[in-house]
Amino acid sequence: MEQKRTGLSYVFTLAKEERGKLSLGMLLAVFSSALSFGPYLVVYQILLLIIKQEVTLPAMLGWAGIGIAAAVLQAILTSFAGICSHTAAFNTMHRIKVRVLEHMSKFNLGFFQEHAPGQIKTTLFDDVDRIETFLAHSTLELAQAIVVPLMMFIFMLRLNWIMALIMLVPMILGIAIPMALMGRYPDLTDEFAGDTEKLNASANEFITAMPVIKMYHLTAEKFEQYRNSLKIYTDCWIKMCESSCNPLSIALVVLDSAILFTLPVGGWLYLRDSLSAASYLLFILLTMCFFTSFLNMVTIAMQSMELGSGLDNVKKIMDMETMKSGQQTLSQTGCYGIDFDNVTFNYTQGGKDALSDVDIHLEPGSLNAFVGPSGAGKTTAVQLLGRYWDVSSGTIKIGGVPVTELQTENLSDLTAFVFQDVFLLEDTLLENIRMGTDATEEQVRQAAKAAQIDDFIMSLPKGYATRIGDEGVKLSGGQQQRISIARAILKDAPIVVFDEATSYSDIENEHKIQLALQNLLRGKTTIMIAHRLHTIRNADKIVVFQDGRVVEQGTHDELIASGSTYSHMWDTYTRETIGEE
Ligand code: ADP
């Protein structure tokens, strides 16, 4: 059978830095459990005194004092054990979350397209939180559930081996019955974890797509999708309950009625003079607490089955290969050419090529434009340059160095992308431009000035301290793009990729963006994904994409003179724009 479940050992591997605290917590928990027998032993001793008719006030007070001291010590040890396990669990949770996030940040974009945000969230929060709960609580219970019954069993064996073995009968039945009847439970917990992910993903999609859903009256259909996920989730939950309720109830009843085994056998042994009255009483008392501590084991077994599928998800992510970083670096102050050598790429293995045999050479410091109909491969080409994805075959080079051989951070330093979709952090405008760099406020302001957005920011009551999202500040598409240009100016990367907006809200905005661009692109090697052809008439090179291939490249005049694809596009474009005017 395929070894699929990751098991408890993986939890302890994840918590390896906290093993000291966890072990101490478990040790203290075992001592505290051992002390929980204090009251029973005190009762036993008092019964002995009664049987022997030796009851005296000092003896009674002495035993009562011992009982109280045991209870106080037990409370103290329990609390210290909890502190140890909770600290270890929180530290581990924090460490796993950071590690998973760091690991994910090294994947290329494909991972995030294949996994819905809801799915990722489930792993990052719900699954990891379950590990935390397990470490904080179940490890202590696990130690208690194993060590305490074992200690008691050894003690009972020494007292009377027949009675000790009789006590094992309900325990064996309590384990065997659920194991025999719950064969499907582990599979169901896996299925449940998958259904939870799907439910989260569709809830997330539903909420994210709310504006479109409302606009197109898709509510019913979308609800349908959410309702379906919810139904599958609920059905699976019911199946899990059905599969576990009966076996567990039987096991609980068997364990709870353990006294029915020890009482008659003990009575029989007592009548045959093989068991003293005191030992008989002690066995009756111990039967009760033996099974309370053993019951914990059943609960932990259930929790660890549920933990298993969450662990699988965490392990799957941690085992995924990250994008391999190269070793070489290029100076950020240099000026570099770009080469696409015979590049082919498809998003899905065996699927249609999004780019086929693309060959492009762009001179250092040149202004270049990628043009072509929608879906022709322009965005894919520039994203391959930034290693958002890795090529299927061929090579992309910056300054003669393949991008795969550059250190990941260096590649990021060398390139600045200004896309139409601007991602804004829920933070101040200052931090939205600074983007984690150590630029001073003055440098941020200079960049914002060059990006023609400083005037707008200064007109806000809180200026650069204005937070995006709240305080009623909403940025127009043009303003967002200028923020994005300011970021790129501040980054001062030698290569700039600019995705021109398909429409501008007004002439003033367009004018400001043109000015901002002039400041951004000065002295850089630039690729502009252009939609409005008049903006790139002066480009050093225009590369024409069609259906994943480069069909033409050259200057505007050369391409017009050739009378081919670009010149037709130009004709259509000029007719449409003149028509608009
Ligand atoms: P352009 O930028 O010229 O509009 P794209 O590079 O976005 O074109 O798309 C090129 C081709 O790749 C299209 O057929 C598009 O459907 C496909 N494509 C783009 N992004 C993805 C993706 N994330 N997954 C699968 N196919 C994609």
Side-chain angles (χ1 to χ4, degrees):
M1 212 180 94
E2 183 197 359
Q3 182 62 38
K4 186 168 171 296
R5 311 198 64 75
T6 34
L8 290 186
S9 61
Y10 187 58
V11 177
F12 290 105
T13 313
L14 291 173
K16 66 173 182 292
E17 289 91 344
E18 301 295 326
R19 272 187 200 152
K21 276 198 207 82
L22 276 178
S23 311
L24 181 62
M26 287 159 96
L27 192 68
L28 294 176
V30 167
F31 282 131
S32 110
S33 290
L35 285 170
S36 68
F37 303 127
Y40 293 95
L41 289 177
V42 167
V43 170
Y44 171 65
Q45 292 299 335
I46 290 174
L47 284 174
L48 273 186
L49 290 177
I50 294 171
I51 291 169
K52 291 187 204 158
Q53 301 201 333
E54 289 172 2
V55 180
T56 61
L57 187 62
M60 296 292 269
L61 287 178
W63 282 114
I66 291 175
I68 293 170
V72 171
L73 192 57
Q74 187 197 351
I76 295 173
L77 290 185
T78 308
S79 136
F80 276 112
I83 292 173
C84 288
S85 71
H86 278 81
T87 319
F90 274 115
N91 289 346
T92 306
M93 174 179 76
H94 177 76
R95 218 171 272 133
I96 299 176
K97 282 187 179 169
V98 170
R99 264 191 225 153
V100 172
L101 264 183
E102 269 180 2
H103 194 67
M104 276 187 190
S105 70
K106 292 181 195 145
F107 294 158
N108 57 24
L109 271 186
F111 173 84
F112 300 96
Q113 297 225 336
E114 279 159 25
H115 296 78
Q119 238 174 322
I120 298 174
K121 186 214 142 255
T122 304
T123 301
L124 202 54
F125 293 98
D126 304 357
D127 294 339
V128 178
D129 285 355
R130 239 182 286 161
I131 297 174
E132 189 270 323
T133 313
F134 186 86
L135 286 174
H137 300 276
S138 306
T139 46
L140 301 187
E141 287 161 14
L142 186 69
Q144 291 169 335
I146 293 172
V147 178
V148 175
L150 193 69
M151 279 172 17
M152 283 175 77
F153 184 67
I154 294 170
F155 175 70
M156 287 190 287
L157 262 183
R158 289 167 54 101
L159 209 61
N160 186 301
W161 65 270
I162 301 177
M163 284 297 279
L165 292 182
I166 287 296
M167 285 206 20
L168 286 187
V169 176
M171 192 180 98
I172 293 167
L173 289 177
I175 297 175
I177 293 171
M179 276 178 71
L181 299 180
M182 288 173 63
R184 278 202 64 213
Y185 196 76
D187 292 337
L188 284 173
T189 55
D190 283 357
E191 197 179 314
F192 185 67
D195 293 343
T196 311
E197 276 181 15
K198 282 185 202 137
L199 182 68
N200 278 345
S202 67
N204 208 37
E205 189 190 330
F206 183 66
I207 294 164
T208 319
M210 192 60 82
V212 185
I213 287 167
K214 279 191 174 300
M215 197 184 300
Y216 290 95
H217 305 294
L218 292 173
T219 320
E221 275 163 69
K222 274 288 169 184
F223 257 126
E224 184 79 30
Q225 187 192 335
Y226 182 63
R227 243 196 346 244
N228 284 344
S229 313
L230 197 57
K231 181 159 181 348
I232 294 170
Y233 173 86
T234 316
D235 287 349
C236 184
W237 183 237
I238 291 172
K239 269 193 275 173
M240 268 172 67
C241 291
E242 281 172 356
S243 124
S244 63
C245 279
N246 289 344
L248 281 182
S249 311
I250 298 171
L252 287 181
V253 169
V254 171
L255 290 173
D256 248 359
S257 54
I259 195 110
L260 295 180
F261 291 76
T262 44
L263 208 57
V265 177
W268 179 69
L269 289 172
Y270 173 68
L271 289 176
R272 292 187 55 205
D273 278 340
S274 306
L275 189 70
S276 70
S279 299
Y280 185 24
L281 282 174
L282 185 61
F283 265 108
I284 291 172
L285 289 172
L286 289 183
T287 306
M288 293 189 258
C289 51
F290 181 72
F291 286 100
T292 315
S293 50
F294 178 72
L295 271 181
N296 282 338
M297 200 115 86
V298 179
T299 323
I300 294 164
M302 297 279 295
Q303 284 172 352
S304 61
M305 280 190 222
E306 285 165 15
L307 186 71
S309 27
L311 276 181
D312 282 344
N313 289 340
V314 173
K315 190 164 188 299
K316 240 186 269 167
I317 290 189
M318 292 309 283
D319 286 348
M320 252 179 218
E321 260 194 61
T322 53
M323 196 171 73
K324 292 222 163 34
S325 171
Q327 297 299 321
Q328 299 200 43
T329 53
L330 291 172
S331 158
Q332 206 185 337
T333 51
C335 186
Y336 306 102
I338 299 169
D339 290 287
F340 284 67
D341 290 343
N342 223 3
V343 171
T344 295
F345 174 71
N346 50 34
Y347 283 97
T348 45
Q349 233 172 5
K352 183 177 173 286
D353 285 347
L355 286 183
S356 314
D357 301 324
V358 168
D359 271 305
I360 308 169
H361 171 73
L362 308 176
E363 288 293 326
S366 59
L367 170 65
N368 307 280
F370 286 5
V371 300
S374 170
K378 308 178 292 289
T379 312
T380 305
V382 295
Q383 286 186 341
L384 289 176
L385 172 70
R387 284 193 80 190
Y388 284 42
W389 318 87
D390 275 332
V391 296
S392 308
S393 65
T395 319
I396 300 178
K397 293 179 190 154
I398 292 179
V401 182
V403 285
T404 46
E405 284 176 24
L406 287 169
Q407 274 180 13
T408 319
E409 295 77 23
N410 184 234
L411 176 62
S412 158
D413 289 342
L414 294 173
T415 48
F417 288 83
V418 182
F419 283 134
Q420 283 191 45
D421 289 332
V422 181
F423 181 78
L424 294 170
L425 307 171
E426 275 186 31
D427 206 331
T428 58
L429 285 166
L430 181 78
E431 293 306 330
N432 259 289
I433 298 174
R434 189 185 264 159
M435 288 301 274
T437 61
D438 47 16
T440 62
E441 252 185 85
E442 188 46 39
Q443 285 167 324
V444 170
R445 217 172 148 197
Q446 288 305 324
K449 274 189 187 150
Q452 313 295 311
I453 189 73
D454 176 69
D455 286 351
F456 165 73
I457 296 176
M458 292 310 284
S459 72
L460 297 168
K462 288 193 187 166
Y464 282 82
T466 310
R467 290 184 73 86
I468 306 254
D470 45 5
E471 301 175 16
V473 177
K474 274 221 144 279
L475 302 184
S476 72
Q479 285 161 344
Q480 290 185 23
Q481 198 159 34
R482 277 181 278 146
I483 294 276
S484 186
I485 293 175
R487 284 175 182 169
I489 290 175
L490 198 62
K491 190 172 183 187
D492 198 20
I495 294 170
V496 177
V497 175
F498 181 79
D499 187 5
E500 186 189 52
T502 35
S503 63
Y504 289 93
S505 47
D506 53 66
I507 302 278
E508 190 195 335
N509 216 344
E510 174 169 2
H511 178 63
K512 280 187 176 159
I513 286 182
Q514 289 305 335
L515 286 176
L517 267 183
Q518 278 170 20
N519 291 327
L520 170 65
L521 305 183
R522 202 169 295 134
K524 314 280 184 199
T525 310
T526 307
I527 299 176
M528 198 157 158
I529 299 179
H531 305 284
R532 293 146 352 111
L533 300 184
H534 72 268
T535 55
I536 46 128
R537 272 187 74 158
N538 298 324
D540 299 305
K541 184 176 270 186
I542 297 171
V543 182
V544 186
F545 284 77
Q546 203 167 39
D547 205 16
R549 291 180 179 278
V550 171
V551 289
E552 270 181 301
Q553 39 188 323
T555 61
H556 174 84
D557 292 339
E558 285 164 3
L559 295 178
I560 292 289
S562 80
S564 193
T565 315
Y566 178 80
S567 81
H568 297 312
M569 282 170 64
W570 179 255
D571 282 348
T572 317
Y573 175 74
T574 41
R575 255 202 317 276
E576 278 173 5
T577 38
I578 290 166
E580 271 171 24
E581 283 157 13

